[in-house]
Amino acid sequence: MDFRPTEEQALLRQSVRAFAETEIRPHVREWDETQHFPIELVPKLAALGLLGIQAPEAYGGAGMSALDYCVCIEELARVDPSVALSVAAHNGLCSAHLLMFGTEEQKQMYLRPLARGEKIGGWALTESSSGSDAGGMRTTAVREGACWTLNGSKAFTTHGRVGDIIVTMAVTDRAAGRKGISAFIVEKGTPGMTPGKKEDKLGMRASDTSEVLFEHCRISSSQLLGDEGQGFVNTMQVLDAGRIGIAALSVGLAQGAHEAALGYALQRKAFGKTISHFQAIQWKLADNATRIEAARLLTYRAAYLKDRGRRTTLESSMAKLYASEIAVKAADDCVQVHGGYGFVKDYPAEKYFRDVKLTTIGEGTSEIQRLVIARQLLSQ
Ligand SMILES: Cc1cc2nc3c(=O)[nH]c(=O)nc-3n(C[C@H](O)[C@H](O)[C@H](O)COP(=O)(O)OP(=O)(O)OC[C@H]3O[C@@H](n4cnc5c(N)ncnc54)[C@H](O)[C@@H]3O)c2cc1C
């Protein structure tokens, strides 16, 4: 067992951190306030390989490992969790689904431009009446000759408005239940697919989130992704990997909040000394640093196993559950350490506090992670 990062991983962390500090940090507050998805950042993310992190070089990607992916997401989330969420949805959901289940032709046609950052990807599973119970979706796809016709609507799709390629799940055989769900690749501009309401969110406000509406949206049979009826099963496999990304996002966000608290504790004075002298503050810092390290190790372990081809349903859910919940605590403590200044927008504490809540909800709530973990334990 070797806990040291490789030289390449240390360099990768350094370069993503430098990028986030110079290209993202100065704009975080403005993008949050205006709910602006920073489209202007896309070519810069692409130049660093951050839009094709795990896609092989043969498809225009950077060919990095799952562990490298964690480092990238962590460093982005440390500065702006919204940007990290967008990068995670593009890479870890849309592109990952294409990479895992696409045909060679689909990978060349759709994955390549996504990995090169020429197109933005979205992944639409959730509907207004089915989130945790994703198998209860209502959107349908009906085969008509060489085409499929989609009808229905998706909710909370990251990049629902700005996405160029949306991987969408739909019911193809209602009687077959979860085995009657299939995945489809739909391109922006296809008649019948339109973005719906843009969500006005508590946090993660620079990440584009909206409904996606399908009304007699006809696509070619070549846009079926994976085998017919396997969409739900494949989705669970995509989420096994995706949840490692949300765990990494949580670790990075917690790290950012912790550093903000530490910095503030060293400069804020009360009763004639900096508040870092008070044991109550020190314990918060110590507990958070310890929990973040534990979450990081759980996350890296899941990524390490994924890199070795192991199915990581249990490890991914454990990492996602723990990292997201300790991140909530880190963000809460960050506000507390800042006192009244944690409540106002001049400091980053309040934004971490708002952003962090998504981590216990997106890609499966904490309750669903516990359900997945318990099922894994009970089936052994
Ligand atoms: C900013 C943002 C971005 C998102 N991006 C995407 C995206 O790109 N693509 C996508 O498909 N979805 C996306 N989502 C949707 C997200 O994955 C869902 O919101 C999430 O899975 C929860 O579903 P829900 O909102 O319907 O809540 P519900 O499923 O209605 O859950 C409500 C509450 O009930 C609990 N609950 C439900 N079932 C059980 C159970 N069996 N046992 C115990 N408790 C239970 C839940 O844990 C939760 O506390 C996004 C959401 C947000 C907010």
Side-chain angles (χ1 to χ4, degrees):
M1 201 176 282
D2 187 349
F3 289 99
R4 288 169 303 178
T6 62
E7 222 170 274
E8 290 79 21
Q9 279 161 350
L11 254 174
L12 176 68
R13 186 180 294 281
Q14 249 177 41
S15 61
V16 181
R17 182 169 293 200
F19 171 79
E21 290 293 349
T22 51
E23 301 289 343
I24 300 176
R25 174 100 56 201
H27 310 286
V28 171
R29 190 167 160 194
E30 178 207 331
W31 293 342
D32 176 64
E33 275 176 14
T34 56
Q35 293 208 73
H36 169 67
F37 172 78
I39 194 91
E40 63 277 21
L41 195 66
V42 167
K44 296 177 186 171
L45 289 165
L48 265 187
L50 295 176
L51 295 177
I53 301 174
Q54 290 184 81
E57 286 168 18
Y59 303 117
M64 290 193 249
S65 67
L67 204 51
D68 297 336
Y69 177 67
C70 290
V71 171
C72 297
I73 298 294
E74 224 183 300
E75 289 303 321
L76 293 174
R78 177 179 161 272
V79 172
D80 191 345
S82 296
V83 172
L85 180 65
S86 274
V87 170
H90 172 95
N91 280 279
L93 296 177
C94 181
S95 297
H97 202 138
L98 283 159
L99 181 61
M100 288 165 83
F101 302 107
T103 61
E104 181 55 32
E105 201 184 349
Q106 288 171 336
K107 287 179 194 169
Q108 292 294 350
M109 188 157 174
Y110 303 109
L111 178 59
R112 179 177 282 281
L114 288 167
R116 290 163 62 96
E118 293 156 4
K119 292 195 171 173
I120 297 170
W123 191 79
L125 175 68
T126 306
E127 299 188 0
S128 59
S129 58
S130 58
S132 303
D133 180 19
M137 70 180 66
R138 294 182 182 166
T139 296
T140 56
V142 176
R143 196 202 301 268
E144 287 168 352
C147 291
W148 288 93
T149 301
L150 273 68
N151 276 293
S153 66
K154 293 290 171 180
F156 294 123
T157 308
T158 300
H159 304 154
R161 296 181 82 82
V162 301
D164 300 293
I165 294 171
I166 311 282
V167 168
T168 302
M169 274 46 77
V171 176
T172 44
D173 180 359
R174 177 83 58 203
R178 289 178 172 185
K179 295 215 167 115
I181 291 172
S182 308
F184 298 90
I185 307 160
V186 191
E187 289 184 273
K188 189 178 195 169
T190 306
M193 180 174 85
T194 47
K197 178 168 74 92
K198 173 180 163 134
E199 300 300 346
D200 186 0
K201 306 195 297 289
L202 167 74
M204 300 291 197
R205 287 164 61 84
S207 179
D208 174 66
T209 315
S210 82
E211 292 176 327
V212 179
L213 314 175
F214 297 98
E215 205 177 343
H216 302 299
C217 175
R218 273 164 73 89
I219 54 171
S220 147
S221 57
S222 64
Q223 287 164 266
L224 173 70
L225 175 58
D227 293 337
E228 186 179 338
Q230 285 299 300
F232 190 79
V233 177
N234 294 352
T235 287
M236 293 302 117
Q237 289 167 267
V238 170
L239 285 172
D240 279 351
R243 284 171 182 160
I244 302 175
I246 301 299
L249 192 158
S250 308
V251 170
L253 189 158
Q255 181 69 39
H258 171 63
E259 287 174 21
L262 193 76
Y264 190 77
L266 285 167
Q267 53 103 1
R268 174 69 175 175
K269 285 200 173 137
F271 302 95
K273 43 180 125 163
T274 63
I275 60 170
S276 61
H277 283 87
F278 304 129
Q279 197 180 51
I281 301 291
Q282 289 175 3
W283 284 21
K284 283 193 206 329
L285 296 173
D287 285 349
N288 280 310
T290 307
R291 284 190 289 253
I292 292 166
E293 225 29 76
R296 187 174 279 123
L297 288 175
L298 268 182
T299 304
Y300 289 180
R301 182 181 67 137
Y304 174 91
L305 292 172
K306 179 179 182 282
D307 281 333
R308 273 142 197 85
R310 274 267 310 272
R311 180 121 198 226
T312 63
T313 307
L314 176 68
E315 292 82 2
S316 297
S317 280
M318 283 179 165
K320 200 266 184 187
L321 171 65
Y322 185 73
S324 61
E325 299 215 329
I326 69 101
V328 169
K329 180 69 180 137
D332 184 11
D333 283 348
C334 177
V335 172
Q336 196 66 20
V337 167
H338 280 73
Y341 293 101
F343 210 70
V344 296
K345 289 183 184 286
D346 298 337
Y347 289 84
E350 66 84 35
K351 180 172 180 293
Y352 287 123
F353 188 73
R354 288 185 286 108
D355 286 347
V356 77
K357 202 55 203 136
L358 185 273
T359 65
T360 65
I361 295 171
E363 295 198 32
T365 62
S366 287
E367 290 77 10
I368 295 302
Q369 303 312 317
R370 287 188 172 90
L371 207 114
V372 171
I373 294 166
R375 272 192 198 139
Q376 291 288 311
L377 297 176
L378 294 168
S379 68
Q380 275 168 10

